[in-house]
Amino acid sequence: MKLDTSASGVYSIAPTPFSEDGSIDWTSVDRMTDFYFEAGCNGFTILGVLGEAPKLDAEEALQLASRVIKRAAGKPIIVGVSAPGFAAMRSLSRKVMDLGAAGVMIAPGAGLKTDDQIAAYFRNAVDAVGSDVPWVLQDYPHSTGITMSNGLLKRVITEHPSLVIVKHEDWPGLDKITALRGWEKDGSMRKISILVGNNGLFLDFELDRGVDGANTGYAFPDMLVDAVKLSKAGKRDEMHDLFDVHLPLLRYDHQPGVGLAVRKYVLQRRGILSTATMRKPAPAFTAETRAEVDYLLARLAKHDARAKV
Amino acid sequence: MKLDTSASGVYSIAPTPFSEDGSIDWTSVDRMTDFYFEAGCNGFTILGVLGEAPKLDAEEALQLASRVIKRAAGKPIIVGVSAPGFAAMRSLSRKVMDLGAAGVMIAPGAGLKTDDQIAAYFRNAVDAVGSDVPWVLQDYPHSTGITMSNGLLKRVITEHPSLVIVKHEDWPGLDKITALRGWEKDGSMRKISILVGNNGLFLDFELDRGVDGANTGYAFPDMLVDAVKLSKAGKRDEMHDLFDVHLPLLRYDHQPGVGLAVRKYVLQRRGILSTATMRKPAPAFTAETRAEVDYLLARLAKHDARAKV
Amino acid sequence: MKLDTSASGVYSIAPTPFSEDGSIDWTSVDRMTDFYFEAGCNGFTILGVLGEAPKLDAEEALQLASRVIKRAAGKPIIVGVSAPGFAAMRSLSRKVMDLGAAGVMIAPGAGLKTDDQIAAYFRNAVDAVGSDVPWVLQDYPHSTGITMSNGLLKRVITEHPSLVIVKHEDWPGLDKITALRGWEKDGSMRKISILVGNNGLFLDFELDRGVDGANTGYAFPDMLVDAVKLSKAGKRDEMHDLFDVHLPLLRYDHQPGVGLAVRKYVLQRRGILSTATMRKPAPAFTAETRAEVDYLLARLAKHDARAKV
Amino acid sequence: MKLDTSASGVYSIAPTPFSEDGSIDWTSVDRMTDFYFEAGCNGFTILGVLGEAPKLDAEEALQLASRVIKRAAGKPIIVGVSAPGFAAMRSLSRKVMDLGAAGVMIAPGAGLKTDDQIAAYFRNAVDAVGSDVPWVLQDYPHSTGITMSNGLLKRVITEHPSLVIVKHEDWPGLDKITALRGWEKDGSMRKISILVGNNGLFLDFELDRGVDGANTGYAFPDMLVDAVKLSKAGKRDEMHDLFDVHLPLLRYDHQPGVGLAVRKYVLQRRGILSTATMRKPAPAFTAETRAEVDYLLARLAKHDARAKV
């Protein structure tokens, strides 16, 4: 199933499970794939930075994509294809689309300096992956170093019908959502799916501002699913109540670098991953950090039974 | 009273109060000064970026420092003197120390590129302000673009006896605290005061890691004071309980740019500032944002009476 | 005399002369002022980065501006007023215009990230200095970190009638000149003065592309004057011949940091400055560097008598 | 033949020749390979940024390496293996070493922020490519955004015996050469080969400072060869004379982006490449630019017969 602009709900960002010897842990890959759908996600994204994609070689990346797409059995898998060159982007994109991916995710390349350069970059990227391939624009200045103004985002959305989802993770970013939704309403921009990232740190108010869901990797995607449902059911206070009990851990999980180690550890404690192993070079996961995550989980478990792990 | 390495507790970061016409609101300046000390802060910092310092001309900056220092009546006022040139840093620093400031705050200058360049910068800065002037090193990579490794921080601490406080706001930064405290313990580095910034987003675990307090501008400094006290009294769970009820607002207040507008608005609602006015150029403070802050305050008020405003 | 869009020829960028004890060397200031006009410059710019402006305190900066403007006796002096805040920019600008400056120079502030942010910055800057004050836009990405697309430059030129000169120092930048001159020709943009910077490293072809002159600080401004004259007289080959004999030194002088030390040394050898002293912190000017400059001057002297110093 | 620290003379940086339809032009690949050796180069580097490496897919990159290495028949070919991830670096490095490459070139990865992070990066890189593989450290801050202090460079050189060449292209960088050569002389650092890049813009004085040669891609590598020879023969003035007549073109060729288009055009005019085609996305190569290169070649031809093309 190909992605389109009706995408809503939760699309998680998946880590890549490794065994302790650093090889891909295929059992955990399968279990993780099943978990995301059982947790209520509508799909998920692999080979993002959080998937340790740069530590996989080309063959491994394709094996992973193949295994996950097959296991997903038609449910949408998005593949990160950001690369330093358009040749690699073209190559990976075509291969994973042939394998049955639902679409690809593209972030602006490093070093772009003006609105025109960013717009040109996306034209080259669409040319590389093919204008028939649905794609997710990752708008994540903290990671890419590239800031897109509201107007530029509108311009890129307008230029590319194959752009179907904005992964919104600008910060601060609430008014950007309001601007985009306003342009949809007054007819000056076509309707697009807006899913939020940034680990969901502002998911509560982003839902209030009208986003369609989340495309992020917090270790409790099932909470994200519930939050989106509560919001769509008009239960604002309940949604905020649920979100707030998760916020201490979610904020902790959101740290760059070590956050991925935290996330893998929580997924291990939840029984999804067999190990929390990261491939080298990996951030330090100290005893203090581990104890803090345990403490956060224990506190969370008082309010959300899913944290009793 | 001059700052020294025994500094602990809470030193707030103060905004600069303006009237609606953009002039400095001296009544609010006085009320704010009193408020910080009544709230239990041991001191506070003026003329930081959050104090809109670049929007004050030199005369206004000195008038503000003079008024606040006088009103503080001997309690410690720290003055931000970061400047693009050492001449301006020298000039402002000497003037405010003459007025009775307790010390100055210095961040590494923009564009420094190597450990050696950063170390040289601080040598020039200490030369400019005078080696007898106590200073706070602001370690805030998100804002300055300059990252200091643990080892470099140790080197700068060792080189400069007049450096008395590290305003720690690196992110992620918990293990940096543990490293510094470890070096103090094993005697390889002298004891220094570590106060945390970054709006206190990790204050809970930073206290667990052994920091001496906070030097940050969250709109409820009285909560920060209580959190530090609970931590020092060994009441870890109570401290986390208190912190967690504030986290949704604290996270919202932490947004770059608009966060200062939020903070001024909360201080206005608390009766400290007469207006939430910012000088131009100011970030947008939209109706949606205001409503969200009201909602956050209403939710917070259920758990902390200080938010009933 | 106020600057306007008819500016052409050479406007040098002046260093600030210091005595060996670090104080401003007023005798050299006067001699340097006279020298630039005797060399055929139409004016010059003070208090740029190359003028070590950040190492002067506010009083010194005004004293320097006052002395130079008085000595220039009506000939145009441009003052750099780039500052981290609009209050300082406003204050300095108004004071130097009152002293009789011909206009001010403004570069985009650090950290601007989108076309809209850059355009907003210049609106705030014009608001600060006053819309009646003629200004030079310094388009120098290597130094500011801000790249302006051709289209954005056109937009800023169109928005601000008080913008009279573009100090063009983008690199590569030849096609930008052709684009701007093309828009002037087809009537889609008003006529503006384009003077080149970047130490004149591409002055030869920039003249071929139609710029009006130079606004840069190479230590032989008299060569720049001759090059512009030859170009305007249609003597292309002679202009390139002259330029080429200077290129080895000009390229050497163009190095960031140490280049200013080189320039001051050459001006000392030419008898303009009494010393080559820079205020701290200064780049190293090693014995090897000095010997290389001597060697370059000796080689240049074979082709241009002005280098016999 | 594997690279070692005795490397001296000229190692050019090669472009990737394309036919007008964008496919690799194998005839030109062979002719170019022969040309570099006939011009007196001791070897050359492929798959650098100037080789448009990011526009080749993995298969093409290996085909190119294979063809060139075979044609070189034992003479040293260096392969650029900088990549966003260590998996890709490991994979490419091992494959090209198996094909007979003489060594690999590695630049520090984007986003490294402290001396310790940079040192760790090179440890991971050496681990990836294998500690038995000779490598060239590309020290090019303008392109990578990473500045290495003299001390850090010494530290990395000391840590890795397999590091055999520093491709020095820091700017300004003359005193860095003097510092490294000084440490070799006083025995505090092992002897290493220093070859200069940055298009050779300072080759003249870099030779004076004692570098071993050049590792850069100026379109007249035969001039670079002669300059190195003159320097080694103690003919300083003749070396500078030769260099100076090339400086106008060399400086033009040095422009980022369009410089590669210029270089390909010059190599086409010299009969080495069949076309000057670049793969998309390519910088504009305007009619004005082409005419300027023709003019520069015509002027150069008066002094150097090799430019009569």
Side-chain angles (χ1 to χ4, degrees):
Chain A
M1 203 188 77
K2 293 282 182 63
L3 286 178
D4 61 38
T5 57
S6 70
S8 70
V10 175
Y11 292 73
S12 193
I13 304 284
T16 300
F18 295 111
S19 300
E20 275 170 18
D21 65 3
S23 62
I24 297 182
D25 170 2
W26 297 110
T27 307
S28 291
V29 168
D30 288 347
R31 195 164 44 216
M32 179 185 77
T33 302
D34 298 346
F35 163 72
Y36 283 129
F37 292 115
E38 287 160 16
C41 295
N42 293 327
F44 64 95
T45 301
I46 57 170
L47 296 178
V49 169
L50 287 178
E52 296 176 71
K55 303 179 196 164
L56 304 187
D57 65 28
E59 290 75 22
E60 290 175 316
L62 283 175
Q63 284 175 323
L64 179 72
S66 174
R67 180 85 165 223
V68 166
I69 290 167
K70 206 165 180 180
R71 183 90 181 184
K75 297 201 198 86
I77 301 299
I78 305 168
V79 181
V81 298
S82 293
F86 293 113
M89 187 186 292
R90 176 192 309 266
S91 168
L92 179 57
S93 175
R94 303 210 164 172
K95 283 172 185 165
V96 299
M97 291 309 294
D98 284 349
L99 289 171
V104 299
M105 181 168 72
I106 303 172
L112 300 170
K113 282 169 185 156
T114 66
D115 285 15
D116 285 349
Q117 287 181 15
I118 298 169
Y121 182 89
F122 285 117
R123 279 194 295 274
N124 284 314
V126 168
D127 186 59
V129 305
S131 62
D132 57 325
V133 171
W135 61 289
V136 180
L137 187 161
Q138 185 178 23
D139 182 20
Y140 195 15
H142 180 77
S143 167
T144 61
I146 311 295
T147 299
M148 297 179 69
S149 67
N150 299 351
L152 175 60
L153 200 44
K154 181 186 179 187
R155 174 176 160 193
V156 173
I157 290 169
T158 301
E159 279 187 18
H160 302 289
S162 59
L163 166 52
V164 295
I165 296 173
V166 170
K167 180 171 177 4
H168 168 76
E169 33 197 353
D170 199 353
W171 177 67
L174 293 168
D175 289 334
K176 197 179 222 178
I177 294 166
T178 299
L180 294 175
R181 289 278 107 124
W183 285 327
E184 291 175 347
K185 237 170 252 168
D186 71 19
S188 62
M189 193 186 83
R190 69 182 170 92
K191 176 82 185 65
I192 198 155
S193 169
I194 305 177
L195 304 179
V196 299
N198 198 25
N199 210 37
L201 192 67
F202 284 83
L203 177 68
D204 48 349
F205 289 105
E206 288 166 335
L207 286 169
D208 289 348
R209 297 278 185 129
V211 301
D212 299 292
N215 182 198
T216 199
Y218 176 54
F220 285 84
D222 24 5
M223 180 282 279
L224 303 177
V225 168
D226 290 349
V228 174
K229 277 187 195 155
L230 287 168
S231 174
K232 293 197 174 170
K235 300 183 177 176
R236 188 192 190 195
D237 291 347
E238 288 91 328
M239 181 270 281
H240 279 274
D241 289 343
L242 174 62
F243 180 84
D244 286 356
V245 300
H246 277 268
L247 184 52
L249 175 59
L250 188 150
R251 163 225 38 177
Y252 197 95
D253 183 326
H254 176 253
Q255 296 173 86
V258 71
L260 176 55
V262 170
R263 187 174 303 165
K264 284 193 144 184
Y265 176 66
V266 174
L267 289 173
Q268 181 192 16
R269 286 211 41 201
R270 296 192 72 184
I272 317 303
L273 303 184
S274 299
T275 82
T277 308
M278 291 183 66
R279 272 198 181 165
K280 289 196 308 175
F285 185 62
T286 62
E288 288 86 353
T289 301
R290 178 187 304 245
E292 286 165 354
V293 179
D294 289 340
Y295 183 71
L296 283 162
L297 284 170
R299 288 177 62 83
L300 178 57
K302 291 183 215 162
H303 304 283
D304 188 330
R306 290 175 288 213
K308 283 179 186 150
V309 289
Chain B
M1 201 188 78
K2 291 282 180 67
L3 286 178
D4 61 38
T5 59
S6 70
S8 70
V10 176
Y11 292 73
S12 193
I13 304 284
T16 299
F18 295 112
S19 301
E20 275 171 19
D21 65 4
S23 61
I24 297 182
D25 170 3
W26 297 109
T27 307
S28 291
V29 168
D30 289 346
R31 195 164 45 216
M32 180 184 78
T33 302
D34 298 346
F35 164 72
Y36 283 129
F37 292 115
E38 286 159 15
C41 295
N42 293 327
F44 63 95
T45 302
I46 56 170
L47 295 179
V49 169
L50 287 178
E52 296 175 73
K55 302 179 197 164
L56 303 188
D57 64 29
E59 289 75 22
E60 290 175 316
L62 284 176
Q63 283 175 323
L64 180 71
S66 173
R67 179 87 166 221
V68 165
I69 290 168
K70 204 164 180 182
R71 183 90 180 184
K75 298 202 198 85
I77 300 300
I78 305 167
V79 181
V81 297
S82 293
F86 293 113
M89 187 186 291
R90 176 191 308 266
S91 167
L92 179 57
S93 175
R94 304 210 162 174
K95 283 172 184 163
V96 298
M97 292 308 294
D98 285 348
L99 289 171
V104 300
M105 180 169 72
I106 303 172
L112 300 170
K113 282 169 184 156
T114 67
D115 285 14
D116 285 348
Q117 286 181 15
I118 298 169
Y121 182 88
F122 285 117
R123 279 194 294 275
N124 285 313
V126 168
D127 186 59
V129 305
S131 62
D132 57 325
V133 172
W135 60 290
V136 180
L137 187 160
Q138 185 179 24
D139 183 20
Y140 194 16
H142 180 77
S143 166
T144 62
I146 310 296
T147 298
M148 297 180 71
S149 67
N150 298 351
L152 175 60
L153 201 43
K154 181 187 179 187
R155 173 177 161 193
V156 174
I157 290 169
T158 301
E159 278 187 20
H160 302 289
S162 59
L163 167 51
V164 294
I165 297 174
V166 171
K167 179 170 178 4
H168 168 77
E169 33 197 353
D170 199 353
W171 177 67
L174 293 168
D175 289 335
K176 196 179 224 178
I177 294 166
T178 299
L180 293 176
R181 290 277 106 124
W183 284 328
E184 290 174 347
K185 237 170 252 169
D186 71 20
S188 62
M189 194 186 83
R190 69 182 170 92
K191 176 81 183 66
I192 197 156
S193 168
I194 305 178
L195 304 179
V196 299
N198 199 24
N199 210 38
L201 193 66
F202 284 84
L203 176 69
D204 49 349
F205 289 107
E206 288 166 334
L207 286 169
D208 289 348
R209 298 279 185 127
V211 300
D212 299 292
N215 182 199
T216 199
Y218 176 53
F220 285 84
D222 26 4
M223 181 283 279
L224 303 177
V225 168
D226 290 349
V228 174
K229 277 187 195 157
L230 287 168
S231 175
K232 294 197 174 170
K235 300 183 175 175
R236 188 191 191 196
D237 290 347
E238 287 91 329
M239 181 269 283
H240 279 274
D241 289 344
L242 174 62
F243 181 83
D244 286 358
V245 301
H246 277 267
L247 184 52
L249 174 61
L250 188 151
R251 163 230 31 184
Y252 197 95
D253 183 327
H254 176 252
Q255 297 174 84
V258 70
L260 175 56
V262 169
R263 186 173 304 164
K264 284 193 142 181
Y265 176 67
V266 174
L267 289 173
Q268 181 193 16
R269 286 213 39 202
R270 295 192 74 184
I272 318 302
L273 303 184
S274 299
T275 82
T277 307
M278 290 183 68
R279 270 197 182 165
K280 289 197 307 173
F285 184 63
T286 61
E288 288 87 353
T289 300
R290 177 187 305 245
E292 286 164 355
V293 179
D294 288 340
Y295 183 71
L296 283 161
L297 283 171
R299 288 177 62 82
L300 178 58
K302 291 184 216 161
H303 304 282
D304 189 329
R306 289 176 288 213
K308 281 180 187 149
V309 288
Chain C
M1 201 189 78
K2 292 284 182 64
L3 287 177
D4 61 39
T5 58
S6 70
S8 70
V10 176
Y11 292 73
S12 193
I13 304 284
T16 300
F18 294 112
S19 301
E20 275 170 20
D21 65 5
S23 62
I24 297 182
D25 170 2
W26 297 109
T27 307
S28 291
V29 168
D30 288 347
R31 195 165 43 217
M32 179 185 78
T33 302
D34 297 346
F35 164 72
Y36 284 128
F37 292 115
E38 287 160 15
C41 295
N42 292 327
F44 63 94
T45 301
I46 57 170
L47 296 179
V49 168
L50 288 178
E52 298 176 73
K55 302 179 197 163
L56 303 188
D57 64 29
E59 289 74 23
E60 288 175 317
L62 284 175
Q63 284 175 323
L64 180 71
S66 173
R67 180 87 165 219
V68 166
I69 290 167
K70 204 163 180 181
R71 184 91 180 181
K75 298 203 198 83
I77 301 300
I78 305 169
V79 181
V81 297
S82 293
F86 294 112
M89 186 186 293
R90 176 192 308 266
S91 168
L92 179 57
S93 175
R94 302 210 164 174
K95 284 172 185 164
V96 298
M97 292 308 294
D98 284 349
L99 289 171
V104 299
M105 180 169 72
I106 303 172
L112 300 170
K113 284 168 182 156
T114 66
D115 284 14
D116 285 349
Q117 286 181 17
I118 298 168
Y121 182 88
F122 285 117
R123 279 195 295 273
N124 285 314
V126 169
D127 186 59
V129 305
S131 62
D132 57 325
V133 171
W135 60 289
V136 180
L137 188 161
Q138 184 178 23
D139 183 21
Y140 195 15
H142 180 77
S143 166
T144 62
I146 311 294
T147 299
M148 297 179 72
S149 67
N150 298 352
L152 175 60
L153 201 44
K154 182 187 178 187
R155 174 176 159 193
V156 174
I157 290 169
T158 302
E159 278 187 21
H160 301 289
S162 58
L163 167 51
V164 294
I165 297 174
V166 170
K167 179 169 178 3
H168 168 76
E169 33 196 354
D170 200 352
W171 177 67
L174 293 168
D175 289 335
K176 195 179 224 179
I177 294 165
T178 300
L180 294 176
R181 290 277 107 123
W183 285 328
E184 290 174 347
K185 237 171 250 168
D186 71 20
S188 63
M189 195 185 83
R190 69 182 169 93
K191 176 81 183 66
I192 197 155
S193 168
I194 305 178
L195 304 179
V196 299
N198 199 25
N199 210 37
L201 193 66
F202 284 84
L203 176 69
D204 49 349
F205 289 106
E206 289 166 334
L207 286 169
D208 289 348
R209 298 281 185 126
V211 301
D212 299 292
N215 182 199
T216 199
Y218 176 54
F220 285 84
D222 26 4
M223 181 283 279
L224 304 177
V225 168
D226 290 348
V228 174
K229 277 186 195 156
L230 287 168
S231 175
K232 294 198 174 170
K235 301 184 176 175
R236 187 190 191 195
D237 290 347
E238 288 90 329
M239 181 269 283
H240 279 274
D241 289 344
L242 173 63
F243 180 83
D244 286 357
V245 300
H246 278 266
L247 185 52
L249 174 61
L250 188 151
R251 164 229 34 181
Y252 197 95
D253 182 328
H254 176 252
Q255 297 174 84
V258 71
L260 175 56
V262 170
R263 186 173 305 166
K264 284 193 143 184
Y265 176 67
V266 175
L267 289 174
Q268 181 193 17
R269 286 211 42 201
R270 296 193 72 185
I272 318 301
L273 303 184
S274 299
T275 82
T277 308
M278 290 183 66
R279 271 199 181 164
K280 288 197 308 174
F285 184 63
T286 63
E288 288 87 353
T289 300
R290 177 186 306 244
E292 286 164 354
V293 179
D294 289 340
Y295 183 71
L296 283 161
L297 284 170
R299 288 177 62 83
L300 178 58
K302 291 184 217 162
H303 305 282
D304 188 330
R306 288 175 289 212
K308 281 179 188 151
V309 288
Chain D
M1 202 188 77
K2 292 282 181 65
L3 286 178
D4 61 38
T5 58
S6 70
S8 70
V10 176
Y11 292 72
S12 193
I13 304 284
T16 300
F18 296 111
S19 300
E20 275 172 17
D21 65 3
S23 61
I24 297 181
D25 170 1
W26 297 108
T27 307
S28 291
V29 168
D30 288 347
R31 195 166 42 217
M32 179 184 78
T33 302
D34 298 346
F35 163 72
Y36 284 128
F37 293 115
E38 289 159 14
C41 296
N42 292 327
F44 63 94
T45 301
I46 57 170
L47 296 178
V49 168
L50 287 178
E52 296 176 74
K55 303 179 196 165
L56 303 186
D57 65 29
E59 290 74 23
E60 289 174 317
L62 283 175
Q63 284 176 323
L64 179 71
S66 174
R67 179 85 166 222
V68 166
I69 290 167
K70 206 165 180 180
R71 184 89 181 184
K75 297 202 199 83
I77 301 299
I78 305 168
V79 181
V81 298
S82 293
F86 293 113
M89 187 186 291
R90 177 191 309 266
S91 169
L92 178 57
S93 174
R94 304 213 162 171
K95 283 172 184 163
V96 298
M97 291 309 294
D98 284 349
L99 289 171
V104 299
M105 180 170 71
I106 303 173
L112 299 170
K113 282 169 185 155
T114 67
D115 284 14
D116 285 348
Q117 287 181 16
I118 298 168
Y121 183 89
F122 285 117
R123 280 195 293 274
N124 285 314
V126 168
D127 186 60
V129 305
S131 62
D132 58 324
V133 172
W135 60 290
V136 180
L137 187 161
Q138 184 179 23
D139 183 20
Y140 195 16
H142 180 76
S143 167
T144 62
I146 310 296
T147 299
M148 296 179 72
S149 67
N150 298 352
L152 175 59
L153 200 44
K154 181 186 180 188
R155 174 176 160 193
V156 173
I157 290 168
T158 302
E159 278 186 20
H160 301 289
S162 58
L163 167 51
V164 294
I165 297 172
V166 170
K167 179 171 178 2
H168 168 77
E169 34 196 353
D170 199 352
W171 177 68
L174 293 168
D175 289 334
K176 196 179 222 178
I177 294 166
T178 299
L180 293 176
R181 289 278 107 124
W183 285 328
E184 291 174 347
K185 237 171 253 169
D186 71 20
S188 63
M189 194 186 83
R190 69 182 171 91
K191 175 83 183 65
I192 197 153
S193 168
I194 305 177
L195 304 179
V196 300
N198 199 25
N199 210 37
L201 192 66
F202 284 84
L203 177 68
D204 48 350
F205 289 106
E206 288 165 335
L207 286 168
D208 289 348
R209 298 278 186 129
V211 301
D212 299 292
N215 182 199
T216 199
Y218 176 54
F220 285 84
D222 25 5
M223 181 283 279
L224 303 176
V225 169
D226 290 349
V228 174
K229 277 187 195 154
L230 287 168
S231 174
K232 293 197 175 170
K235 301 182 175 175
R236 187 190 192 198
D237 292 346
E238 288 90 328
M239 181 269 283
H240 279 274
D241 289 343
L242 174 62
F243 180 84
D244 286 356
V245 301
H246 277 267
L247 185 52
L249 174 60
L250 189 150
R251 164 230 31 182
Y252 197 96
D253 182 327
H254 176 254
Q255 298 173 84
V258 70
L260 175 55
V262 169
R263 186 173 304 165
K264 285 193 141 182
Y265 176 67
V266 174
L267 289 173
Q268 181 192 16
R269 288 212 39 202
R270 295 192 73 184
I272 318 302
L273 303 185
S274 299
T275 81
T277 308
M278 291 182 66
R279 272 197 180 166
K280 289 196 307 174
F285 185 63
T286 61
E288 287 87 353
T289 301
R290 177 186 306 243
E292 286 165 353
V293 179
D294 288 341
Y295 183 71
L296 282 161
L297 284 170
R299 288 177 61 84
L300 178 57
K302 291 183 217 162
H303 304 282
D304 189 330
R306 290 176 288 213
K308 283 182 186 147
V309 290

